[in-house]
Amino acid sequence: AHCGPTSLNDLETQFSSTMRRVQAALTGAPRGIRVRGELWAKRLTALTAMPREEFRRDRNLHALLLLECLEEGRWVAPFDRNP
């Protein structure tokens, strides 16, 4: 896998954008969903230090799935339990 600065920057930009949407979705979510969503958002953000591109891609996919769960108001694995 190519691991140039552009692709890592792109992954970070994508992650930041998704997490802004996650935060917006959390704002209007019911308390129960918001609490678990915030825990997962913190967990995913903690993974930002991951040096390898495939970990960042995985993190970004999880962030998108978290956003989908929040928008639909239902949890799917691994978000169906606390991190």
Side-chain angles (χ1 to χ4, degrees):
H2 175 67
C3 205
T6 305
S7 59
L8 286 181
N9 284 342
D10 288 349
L11 289 172
E12 290 313 301
T13 301
Q14 194 178 50
F15 181 68
S16 295
S17 169
T18 302
M19 292 310 288
R20 277 194 297 276
R21 292 171 62 200
V22 163
Q23 290 303 328
L26 283 170
T27 303
R31 188 176 184 283
I33 288 178
R34 194 172 65 241
V35 169
R36 180 177 294 171
E38 285 170 353
L39 288 172
W40 274 106
K42 282 189 186 111
R43 176 72 187 268
L44 291 174
T45 303
L47 297 177
T48 299
M50 287 287 180
R52 297 187 39 202
E53 187 176 342
E54 55 268 36
F55 290 139
R56 290 180 190 218
R57 284 186 196 285
D58 195 44
R59 174 205 62 190
N60 287 11
L61 291 173
H62 276 83
L64 285 169
L65 183 58
L66 175 59
L67 178 62
E68 200 174 292
C69 288
L70 291 168
E71 289 176 344
E72 293 179 5
R74 64 184 182 88
W75 298 114
V76 297
F79 301 109
D80 54 350
R81 58 191 186 282
N82 288 340

